[in-house]
Amino acid sequence: QPQLQESGPGLVKPSETLSLTCTVSGGSISRSSYYWGWIRQPPGQGLEWIGTTYYDGSTYSKPSLKSRVTIFVDTSRNQLSLKLSSVTAADTAVYYCARHRLFDWLLLWGQGTLVTVSS
Amino acid sequence: DIQMTQSPSSLSAFVGDRVTITCRASQGISNYLAWYQQKPGKVPKLLIYDASTLQSGVPSRFSGSGSGTDFTLTITSLQPEDVATYYCQKYNSALFTFGPGTKVDIK
């Protein structure tokens, strides 16, 4: 069973770019039919889907975040990446990566990583 | 965008009670709906997919129903280990959306 592990800075300054990676172990990120997504959860709040990508580069993002979000796959490193620009305190959250098929549920999740936006 | 709502936002029930949580989509999503359970500090866990299919290993006291815009998650006999927040999620398109969650407690 593949495993996902998020990593990245735990503290980001306002107006800067948040950058996270999700390392996939035990399986290839370029395996056909699997999509790779990011979900976040602000402290004490609900889950918010950020976006999803496929290894061929096709990407889907939440419309309200689309202008600030970049999601891509690095097949050579078997990693998924998230970049969120111009962050504010409202972007403070636990960020999860997850695997799914198109038009499918989220079965495989990473453990999540907390990112705090603060000066 | 299709919006997802849940009711109630929280509930408290006795052990052994039947608990029902409702999820509503602002437009029809057929049966492209999943339910997740999230315990404090833990990763969300898939309970049900395709609105009514129980994920392997999930206790049979959990069940889901519905299609189109209205869905329900039922716990037939609430157990102490069911204390958690429950989320619905639609996946009828490449744009996913979660419901706001329902927090379940024991009286």
Side-chain angles (χ1 to χ4, degrees):
Chain A
Q1 174 78 332
Q3 292 187 331
L4 310 180
Q5 180 65 60
E6 304 87 348
S7 59
L11 182 64
V12 180
K13 289 183 168 54
S15 80
E16 294 188 345
T17 295
L18 177 159
S19 295
L20 295 175
T21 59
C22 172
T23 300
V24 179
S25 57
S28 173
I29 203 168
S30 56
R31 180 176 173 181
S32 64
S33 80
Y34 284 118
Y35 287 69
W36 306 89
W38 288 97
I39 300 98
R40 69 180 182 179
Q41 184 170 37
Q45 297 184 41
L47 300 167
E48 179 183 30
W49 174 76
I50 300 170
T52 282
T53 193
Y54 194 51
Y55 78 95
D56 68 355
S58 52
T59 303
Y60 311 90
S61 302
K62 181 173 182 176
S64 61
L65 297 173
K66 191 173 184 178
S67 64
R68 297 197 292 133
V69 167
T70 302
I71 297 174
F72 59 94
V73 162
D74 184 337
T75 56
S76 65
R77 297 187 178 207
N78 223 36
Q79 289 180 335
L80 167 71
S81 292
L82 169 69
K83 292 188 184 297
L84 181 65
S85 64
S86 305
V87 297
T88 69
D91 296 309
T92 294
V94 174
Y95 285 77
Y96 297 98
C97 57
R99 187 185 80 172
H100 64 95
R101 292 189 173 93
L102 195 60
F103 308 126
D104 244 19
W105 49 93
L106 300 160
L107 180 58
L108 184 64
W109 296 66
Q111 289 302 302
T113 187
L114 175 63
V115 179
T116 301
V117 178
S118 174
S119 55
Chain B
D1 296 6
I2 295 177
Q3 306 302 315
M4 306 298 294
T5 57
Q6 285 182 235
S7 61
S9 56
S10 66
L11 67 88
S12 189
F14 290 104
V15 172
D17 279 355
R18 181 185 183 93
V19 168
T20 299
I21 298 168
T22 297
C23 175
R24 178 164 291 172
S26 60
Q27 298 175 39
I29 58 170
S30 184
N31 68 334
Y32 292 96
L33 187 100
W35 289 96
Y36 301 86
Q37 175 193 65
Q38 187 180 33
K39 297 183 179 181
K42 300 296 186 182
V43 178
K45 172 188 172 183
L46 177 70
L47 296 178
I48 287 168
Y49 59 91
D50 289 347
S52 62
T53 303
L54 197 66
Q55 169 65 8
S56 176
V58 174
S60 59
R61 64 181 179 273
F62 291 93
S63 65
S65 65
S67 183
T69 60
D70 295 317
F71 304 86
T72 59
L73 172 70
T74 299
I75 310 173
T76 53
S77 177
L78 187 67
Q79 299 301 304
E81 60 266 33
D82 300 335
V83 169
T85 300
Y86 295 83
Y87 297 92
C88 60
Q89 178 234 333
K90 69 98 175 170
Y91 50 88
N92 68 311
S93 76
L95 304 183
F96 291 174
T97 305
F98 289 94
T102 295
K103 187 174 182 181
V104 174
D105 267 328
I106 300 288
K107 273 185 186 175

